[in-house]
Every structure is written in structure tokens, then in C-alpha cells.
Amino acid sequence: MAGVQTAVALREKGFAGTITLIGAEPHQPYDRPPLSKAVLLGTAEGSAFDVDFEALGVELRLGCEVLGVRTADRVLDTEAGPVPYDVLVLATGAEPLRLPGTEGVPGVHLLRTLDDAERLRPVLARQHDVVVVGAGWIGAEFTTAAREAGCAVTVVEAAERPLAGALPAEVAAPMAAWYADSGAVLRTGTRVERVEPGAVVLDDGTRVPAGAVVVGIGARPATAWLTGSGIALGAHGEVLADDRLRTSAPDVYAVGDCASFPSGRYGERLLIHHWDNALQGPRTVAAGILGEITARYDPVPYFWSEQFGRFVQYAGHHPGADTLLWRGDPAGPAWSACWLREGRLAALLAVGRPRDLAQGRRLIEAGTPMDASLLADPARPLKAATA
């Protein structure tokens, strides 16, 4: 997404120079969200972007792995040979974390790429018993698809609740019931000891039948190839970009899942592994390449997830918020959680309340003071709950 959108944005802004898009995968560039839904369930063959690269004058070099970069020489080293550049944009995304001890073990799957989805499609079609490791966003989405396909699913989560890394306990707690409602078994506070043929052994000795194991325990920026390049990386291996998405090397930009940037709105550096960031960031990169004077890159983070028959949306960034307010009953089908910081909306999670999300996102962007007592009334539009 980030690489393709950068190329598109450059052409839209009138850039007439050569654009080369290099990717390690052999497939036409594709969108990722359908992989855990339509592609996985076999209701869509693929999710290639509807972009005419030839008409745009963008050269695609597919199935070409990049090995390193020599910034002093302005040369990218690839398995097909060196590629010189005037400007380089890093949009390598993130790669899923593997479960230790499962490298090369048959029947253990990740879900990040089109090939991953293609390998998992027959697993669902044959209605295997499936163990999902990790109750994060991808674990929930895969569990939803697997239950829809008729698989028996056990979800193993090391933390005490789903989405422990993303949401506080009181907000994530109601979501645990969604698994049982779907017919999946959720085991929290539990780790995988080892994977055996046909089974997963848990740390309490329990053996869970498993025709397949799907690992969704997080992702890290795909930046190992930058080691020794001189391009500054952060604690999570992400490229440290500035507020115009420039890296520490001249004429090298970084965008999407592989890069963090300083947020003036939240007063900290953000590393956002979500689709919307890969859509928004390229406009800033394209403007920078063309020498345009632009605003700092400081978006309101946004993402969504379709899981267990619910549309879950999140906008903002809640660490540092001082007040949590509910709109609606979290045991019900539609509710929102709002985080306030110094009387202003910092973040919002909306379950089945898309209007809350749309209005809340604008209120976060504007930094509008809110009236907490009005905000807590689910019948009142968010935009009418201002101070």
C-alpha cells in the first residue's frame, strides 16, 4: 500500500521522472485487508490494486529482493544487481513474528501475504481443527473466518485477555465473550509449549488437536536488510523518520509500517502498523520529494477490524489519556469507549457505531473541548457533546 500510493501520489502531483517499484513478492502489488476475509474464504481470488502501472509510467520489478543500501553512493543492492537512485523511499512494511521452535514445522502458518492466505484456504475448506496462537486483531479476524468455514477453533493467548497490547483491560474484557459466542474456545494466560504432529501442547500439559496452527503474535518492521546502512533505526527496528517522513540519510524517506514518526498531537513517536497510515503517509513523501512546503505529518491514527459479526473501529492514541468514558453498554451489540486527555478527545473505540467514529475522528483532529457528562449519553451525537 505505502509503496504503490507513493508512486501514484508522485504522478498525481506532476512528477515526470523515472519511478521504479521494487518488491520481493512475485505478485502484482495487492491490498492486505481482504487476505483475512474474502481471499481466505475463497470468495475472491486476489486483491491486486486497481492501478495501471504501465499507464502511470511506473516500472515494476517483482520477485526482486533488496539486500542493502549504500547511501553514500546512492545505490540499492538487489539480488538482480545494483540499482542507482536519486531519491529512495523505504516502504518495506512489517513481517509477522514467528512462534519460537516452529520454524519449518509442517502445518504452522502465518497470515500476512497472499501466499499465506492461499496456503490457508484449503485448511478452512477441509474444516480442520485449528489452533490460533494470539488473540490480537489478526487472530480475531482469522478465527472469525475459520468459524464461518466450519472449523473447530481454539485460541491460545499468553496475556489474560484479548488485545492486551492494544487496549486496557476494562475495554478488552467485553470482547472475550465474542469468541465463545462464535463457538471458538479462548484460553487466556496460556502459552504454547510445543507443536507436535496433529496437536499443540500447552504450558499446563494440555494437548489440543490441531490440523493446522495459525500464529498471530505481532509483527516487526521489515528492516533487517538496513543493518550497516547508516540509516537510523529505533528500539523496535523501525526506521526513525522525522515529521516529513525523511530518514537520517539524505534523500531517503520511510513510510508505512516500517517507520515511526514524531507526533506533535500526542507528544511521542508513533509506530503505526495499520492500513490508513500506509495510505496517508505517501502524500507527505511525494510532496517532500517535489520540494513542496507541507504541514508536518501528524495524522489521527485510524484502523478498523471486522470480527465476530462486528465492525470495530479505532481512532486516535489513548496512552496518556486521563479519563475513560463509555457510550452504551459494552455487553450489547453497539457501544463506544472514549478517552479524554485534559478535556479533549484523545481516542475512541467504536463497536457498531460508525457515526461515533466519524464524528470523533474530526473532534480529535480539531482538539475540540468536550463535555464529559454529555459525551457519556449514547443517544446524543458526539458532535453535540462539546463543551
Side-chain angles (χ1 to χ4, degrees):
M1 170 61 86
V4 168
Q5 289 298 324
T6 300
V8 170
L10 280 166
R11 289 295 188 233
E12 286 178 345
K13 287 177 172 290
F15 178 73
T18 301
I19 301 176
T20 305
L21 200 56
I22 302 175
E25 292 186 65
H27 311 290
Q28 283 287 116
Y30 60 87
D31 205 9
R32 293 193 189 281
L35 299 185
S36 61
K37 307 169 186 73
V39 174
L40 193 58
L41 289 168
T43 56
E45 283 304 312
S47 58
F49 289 115
D50 186 18
V51 175
D52 189 336
F53 293 101
E54 191 174 348
L56 280 177
V58 174
E59 179 192 357
L60 293 180
R61 296 193 190 179
L62 304 175
C64 180
E65 186 175 355
V66 178
L67 307 173
V69 58
R70 289 173 276 149
T71 55
D73 301 327
R74 294 178 185 250
V75 170
L76 201 61
D77 289 313
T78 80
E79 59 184 4
V83 179
Y85 67 85
D86 296 309
V87 177
L88 177 63
V89 180
L90 309 176
T92 49
E95 55 196 5
L97 296 173
R98 296 180 181 274
L99 189 64
T102 62
E103 194 81 41
V105 175
V108 178
H109 299 264
L110 301 168
L111 180 51
R112 179 77 183 184
T113 67
L114 179 58
D115 288 339
D116 291 338
E118 294 289 358
R119 281 190 287 267
L120 277 165
R121 194 188 287 186
V123 169
L124 269 59
R126 295 179 195 135
Q127 297 185 334
H128 282 292
D129 290 344
V130 179
V131 171
V132 177
V133 185
W137 301 111
I138 197 69
E141 290 182 6
F142 178 81
T143 299
T144 300
R147 287 298 300 138
E148 195 173 319
C151 299
V153 182
T154 300
V155 181
V156 179
E157 169 57 53
E160 296 300 325
R161 60 185 186 278
L163 294 166
L167 298 171
E170 62 268 42
V171 177
M175 298 174 167
W178 299 356
Y179 287 81
D181 292 345
S182 78
V185 175
L186 173 63
R187 298 194 53 153
T188 56
T190 306
R191 293 181 180 273
V192 172
E193 187 69 34
R194 65 184 181 277
V195 178
E196 298 178 346
V200 170
V201 180
L202 306 181
D203 58 2
D204 63 0
T206 305
R207 294 180 86 260
V208 182
V213 179
V214 178
V215 179
I217 55 174
R220 61 172 169 236
T223 57
W225 65 281
L226 289 170
T227 302
S229 68
I231 294 172
L233 303 180
H236 303 284
E238 82 279 16
V239 180
L240 294 175
D242 68 7
D243 56 14
R244 300 298 199 288
L245 300 181
R246 298 169 297 202
T247 73
S248 62
D251 294 315
V252 180
Y253 293 78
V255 63
D257 290 8
C258 71
S260 67
F261 58 89
S263 168
R265 177 178 287 107
Y266 292 105
E268 61 183 279
R269 184 168 278 276
L270 298 182
L271 175 59
I272 302 171
H273 284 189
H274 292 297
W275 186 91
D276 192 65
N277 180 48
L279 176 69
Q280 305 291 344
R283 296 168 194 162
T284 295
V285 172
I289 291 170
L290 292 170
E292 297 178 4
I293 305 301
T294 61
R296 294 180 172 88
Y297 185 62
D298 197 7
V300 173
Y302 167 72
F303 69 88
W304 79 96
S305 175
E306 295 176 75
Q307 52 182 267
F308 307 114
R310 294 165 171 85
F311 188 41
V312 182
Q313 295 173 282
Y314 178 93
H317 181 65
H318 65 264
D322 43 40
T323 306
L324 169 64
L325 292 171
W326 296 91
R327 286 170 59 81
D329 180 2
W335 49 273
S336 295
C338 301
W339 287 268
L340 295 179
R341 187 177 64 190
E342 296 174 358
R344 290 173 168 80
L345 197 60
L348 176 138
L349 177 80
V351 176
R353 290 181 67 100
R355 188 173 295 175
D356 273 8
L357 191 289
Q359 293 180 11
R361 195 175 180 183
R362 288 192 290 269
L363 292 165
I364 296 169
E365 184 85 50
T368 307
M370 306 298 295
D371 183 318
S373 60
L374 300 178
L375 185 70
D377 178 3
R380 181 184 294 272
L382 263 178
K383 63 183 180 182
T386 56

